[in-house]
């Protein structure tokens, strides 16, 4: 794949629906808190406001203490409030620290039949106990007007990287997360594993895709679209495709509005020749972001919280674009150029009846040398990547996976009545679908015989991809989320489910308990595509 070239002014014009005529680009200082600098004259370039820097809760004495309230904001959307402000702070910790989070459910009681009204929080990607008061989404919930506490012990050998927290009550996840009930978690120490990051400016970026409407129906709308399409699509099967293309991937998305740190567009300051560490979490409920920067290659150093170099034989890789599935994280290096460069998300094909994920502009990397300090006091990144005095390398993450002791099949299915795993829709009252043994590794074959991409995620652990549709994976890395391609047609005309084989690591004894695995396109999970597993 060659480096793409786009006209920066064209990208930003399309995004904002303004800016006539030609004209070059410039590094005019953006004004904090505004969407566009002033009122540009005809032909003048559009310069988005500087990237918002998300406030942080930093651990002190080994503890990060946070009080979060979920309640409706002024637009009647569910949102996190911290210190009285509508903010989902980034929680910054070190291996061995503890997150003490008091969660207050200020959301109203719902009366919709079949929809839970309680709320909770999941700490995505952390290898922590699923037993209360730990990362438990099965039984730990706060009733409307109530609260619950979480004590999340960060493993002393937790890989350093980007994780996140988000709402996870079954039936409301897509609506709550889609509207913003989520935030980032950074585990410090990446420079100890990726030395070239030491001392670099770092930026935490949270990408969302909130629905235009704040209604519950809007939050769950991809399932409604799928239900309307599933019968029609039955006669239009498509071949297997590595990107699951086949639908109209670039069809306009009219019901969602992608954001970057809460803004529609952002200027990201980077000096010519300077390298920065960009840490991105896809906090959208169902949108894929396929990130690319005009004229630049990106160096991917970590994915789903884990440095690529941690798995034996792994190393940082140079790419033209980085696909981040819903709930995925990517940490990459970029070096600034002499001219501004557009940051876009490319079209992604999610299958014949999947979601529309068209190309969208997210912002621009531009020289911030002359940005006045006063205008960017709340947006200019001053944090640099620190090297810890010592780190404890995990005996699990840093070794090759042993042979699996158990093989299982996880079958993603759907019809116009619901979504299922192995023929069953999720029920909190049902027993665990699987029982695994701590200290072991299992091979799961994830099959998808639907006409849209699903995103497999399992709580508490990471996994390694062995193969996709029979093609071995020659670049293994630790993940906690993976796209599962849509179905296809065999040579004899038969329906062929896609197959993704993964090795799941249950070796760490801290994860003993009951937790869940599901599709992380959250309206799919809300409508049944989730199951429980118990590790003994």
């Amino acid at each position: 794949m060659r480096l793409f070239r786009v006209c920066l002014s064209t990208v930003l014009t399309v995004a904002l629906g303004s800016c006539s005529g030609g004209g070059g680009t410039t590094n005019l200082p953006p004004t904090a808190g505004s969407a566009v600098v002033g009122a540009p004259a005809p032909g003048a370039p559009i310069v988005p406001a500087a990237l918002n820097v998300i406030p942080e809760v930093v651990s002190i004495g080994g503890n990060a203490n946070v009080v979060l309230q979920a309640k409706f904001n002024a637009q009647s959307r569910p949102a996190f409030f911290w210190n009285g402000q509508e903010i989902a702070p980034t929680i910054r910790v070190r291996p061995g620290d503890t997150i003490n989070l008091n969660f207050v459910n200020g959301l109203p009681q719902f009366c919709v039949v079949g929809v839970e009204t309680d709320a909770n929080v999941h700490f995505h990607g952390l290898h922590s106990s699923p037993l209360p008061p730990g990362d438990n989404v099965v039984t730990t919930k706060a009733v409307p007007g109530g609260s619950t506490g979480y004590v999340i012990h960060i493993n002393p050998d937790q890989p350093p990287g980007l994780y996140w927290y988000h709402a996870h009550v079954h039936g409301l996840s897509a609506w709550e997360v889609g509207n913003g009930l989520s935030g980032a978690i950074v585990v410090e120490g990446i420079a100890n594993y990726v030395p070239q990051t030491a001392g670099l400016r770092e930026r935490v970026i949270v990408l969302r895709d909130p629905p235009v409407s704040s209604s519950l129906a809007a939050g769950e709308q991809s399932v409604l679209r799928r239900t309307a399409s599933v019968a029609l699509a039955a006669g239009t099967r498509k071949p297997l495709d590595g990107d699951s293309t086949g639908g109209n991937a670039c069809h306009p998305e009219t019901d969602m509005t992608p954001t970057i740190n809460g803004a529609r567009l952002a200027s990201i300051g980077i000096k010519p020749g300077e390298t920065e560490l960009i840490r991105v979490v896809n906090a959208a409920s169902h949108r894929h972001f396929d990130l690319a920067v005009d004229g630049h290659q990106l160096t991917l150093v970590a994915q789903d919280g884990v440095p690529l170099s941690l798995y034996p034989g792994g190393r940082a890789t140079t790419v033209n674009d980085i696909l981040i599935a819903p709930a995925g994280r990517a940490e990459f290096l970029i070096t600034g150029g002499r001219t501004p460069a557009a940051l876009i998300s490319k079209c992604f094909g999610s299958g014949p009846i999947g979601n529309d994920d068209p190309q969208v502009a997210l912002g621009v990397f531009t020289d911030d040398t002359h940005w006045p300090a006063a205008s960017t006091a709340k947006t200019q990144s001053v944090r640099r990547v620190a090297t810890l005095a010592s780190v404890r390398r995990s005996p699990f993450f840093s070794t090759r996976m042993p042979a699996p002791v158990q093989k299982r099949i996880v079958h993603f299915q759907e019809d116009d009545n619901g979504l299922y795993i192995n023929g069953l829709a999720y029920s909190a009252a049902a027993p665990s679908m699987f029982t695994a043994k701590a200290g072991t590794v299992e091979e799961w074959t994830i099959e998808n015989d639907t006409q849209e991409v699903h995103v497999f995620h399992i709580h508490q652990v990471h996994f390694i991809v062995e193969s996709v549709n029979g093609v071995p994976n020659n670049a293994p890395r630790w993940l906690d989320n993976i796209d599962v391609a849509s179905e296809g047609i065999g040579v004899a005309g038969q329906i062929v489910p896609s197959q993704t084989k993964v090795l799941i690591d249950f070796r760490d004894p801290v994860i003993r308990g009951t937790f869940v695995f599901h599709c992380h396109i959250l309206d799919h999970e809300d409508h049944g595509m989730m199951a429980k597993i118990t590790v003994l």
Side-chain angles (χ1 to χ4, degrees):
M1 180 186 298
R2 62 181 177 83
L3 285 177
F4 75 99
R5 282 284 177 183
V6 297
C7 173
L8 176 64
S9 59
T10 299
V11 170
L12 298 183
T13 299
V14 170
L16 293 182
S18 61
C19 184
S20 59
T25 55
T26 181
N27 65 336
L28 293 173
T31 302
S34 63
V36 180
V37 176
I46 293 174
V47 183
L51 178 73
N52 293 317
V53 173
I54 302 168
E56 296 189 346
V57 174
V58 181
S59 64
I60 299 175
N63 289 278
N65 301 314
V66 192
V67 177
L68 283 181
Q69 182 182 28
K71 64 179 183 178
F72 281 149
N73 63 12
Q75 291 75 44
S76 298
R77 296 178 184 271
F80 277 138
F81 284 75
W82 173 68
N83 287 348
Q85 300 182 53
E86 186 183 339
I87 293 172
T90 296
I91 302 174
R92 189 174 290 269
V93 293
R94 295 185 174 201
D97 285 352
T98 298
I99 298 173
N100 302 293
L101 189 146
N102 183 28
F103 172 64
V104 180
N105 182 7
L107 295 171
Q109 180 82 22
F110 285 93
C111 298
V112 180
V113 175
V115 176
E116 290 191 55
T117 59
D118 300 339
N120 59 13
V121 179
H122 169 48
F123 299 83
H124 188 119
L126 296 179
H127 286 224
S128 60
S129 173
L131 303 177
D135 182 22
N136 178 288
V137 301
V138 178
T139 61
T140 300
K141 299 167 188 173
V143 300
S147 64
T148 189
Y150 293 92
V151 179
I152 308 297
H153 298 294
I154 310 299
N155 256 351
D157 51 14
Q158 178 79 40
L162 184 62
Y163 302 89
W164 67 305
Y165 60 92
H166 62 84
H168 204 295
V169 65
H170 181 64
L172 294 175
S173 291
W175 176 68
E176 292 183 343
V177 175
N179 279 287
L181 286 186
S182 63
I185 300 172
V186 174
V187 177
E188 296 272 48
I190 193 170
N192 295 75
Y193 294 84
V194 188
Q196 63 264 45
T197 64
L200 300 182
R201 277 201 288 180
E202 69 164 90
R203 299 186 184 273
V204 174
I205 292 178
V206 178
L207 298 177
R208 297 190 175 94
D209 195 25
V212 173
S213 168
S214 62
S215 70
L216 177 60
E220 304 293 333
Q221 63 190 309
S222 87
V223 162
L224 301 179
R225 287 196 300 266
R226 177 200 58 77
T227 301
S229 304
V230 69
L232 176 64
T236 57
R237 306 283 185 176
K238 302 293 182 181
L240 288 174
D241 185 307
D243 291 327
S244 300
T245 53
N248 188 351
C250 297
H251 189 274
E253 181 185 41
T254 59
D255 46 17
M256 301 282 181
T257 304
T259 63
I260 175 170
N261 285 8
R264 179 60 193 86
L265 290 166
S267 291
I268 305 169
I270 187 169
K271 295 174 176 57
E274 178 190 18
T275 299
E276 291 187 359
L277 173 64
I278 310 298
R279 319 182 95 155
V280 182
V281 55
N282 180 354
S285 61
H286 65 247
R287 195 189 211 282
H288 286 72
F289 287 97
D290 190 0
L291 300 183
V293 178
D294 181 23
H296 290 258
Q297 289 190 311
L298 311 173
T299 301
L300 182 66
V301 298
Q303 194 166 356
D304 287 354
V306 185
L308 303 189
S309 60
L310 195 50
Y311 194 80
R315 62 182 183 275
T317 180
T318 300
V319 295
N320 297 320
D321 63 298
I322 299 173
L323 177 63
I324 312 177
R329 286 89 65 214
E331 298 170 74
F332 61 88
L333 305 179
I334 182 171
T335 300
R338 294 187 176 278
T339 58
L343 169 66
I344 71 165
S345 176
K346 300 165 63 178
C347 294
F348 174 77
S350 58
I353 64 169
N355 300 309
D356 296 327
D357 290 335
Q359 178 169 303
V360 62
L362 295 169
V364 57
F365 283 91
T366 186
D367 184 6
D368 62 351
T369 300
H370 302 295
W371 289 4
S375 69
T376 58
K378 295 182 180 180
T379 56
Q380 185 77 336
S381 176
V382 295
R383 182 172 291 281
R384 294 186 177 271
V385 180
T387 302
L388 301 183
S390 64
V391 293
R392 193 174 90 179
R393 291 182 177 265
S394 168
F396 309 117
F397 282 95
S398 59
T399 58
R400 291 189 180 276
M401 294 276 257
V405 301
Q406 177 74 44
K407 296 186 178 183
R408 305 187 193 274
I409 292 178
V410 172
H411 202 87
F412 284 155
Q413 301 161 293
E414 61 185 75
D415 58 29
D416 54 0
N417 295 312
L419 297 100
Y420 319 98
I421 294 179
N422 291 355
L424 299 173
Y426 178 75
S427 169
S432 293
M433 182 172 287
F434 301 138
T435 299
K437 186 176 180 181
T440 67
V441 169
E442 295 191 354
E443 180 188 75
W444 290 18
T445 299
I446 308 162
E447 296 185 339
N448 180 6
D449 68 358
T450 78
Q451 295 188 51
E452 61 181 326
V453 169
H454 293 293
V455 179
F456 172 78
H457 168 59
I458 183 168
H459 289 208
Q460 319 308 133
V461 299
H462 279 66
F463 54 81
I464 294 290
V465 176
E466 282 189 297
S467 65
V468 176
N469 292 329
V471 179
N473 176 22
N474 295 321
R477 62 190 61 169
W478 292 107
L479 302 171
D480 59 41
N481 247 54
I482 183 69
D483 277 334
V484 184
S486 57
E487 68 184 9
I489 298 178
V491 292
Q494 76 278 20
I495 300 300
V496 179
S498 73
Q499 288 192 339
T500 299
K501 290 183 180 291
V502 298
L503 290 174
I504 300 185
D505 190 357
F506 298 111
R507 289 178 293 173
D508 192 336
V510 75
I511 54 92
R512 285 192 178 102
T514 298
F515 46 95
V516 296
F517 57 95
H518 58 89
C519 176
H520 219 293
I521 295 176
L522 288 178
D523 37 3
H524 296 182
E525 179 258 294
D526 282 340
H527 287 74
M529 196 169 273
M530 182 163 77
K532 292 186 287 188
I533 179 172
T534 296
V535 178
L536 301 175

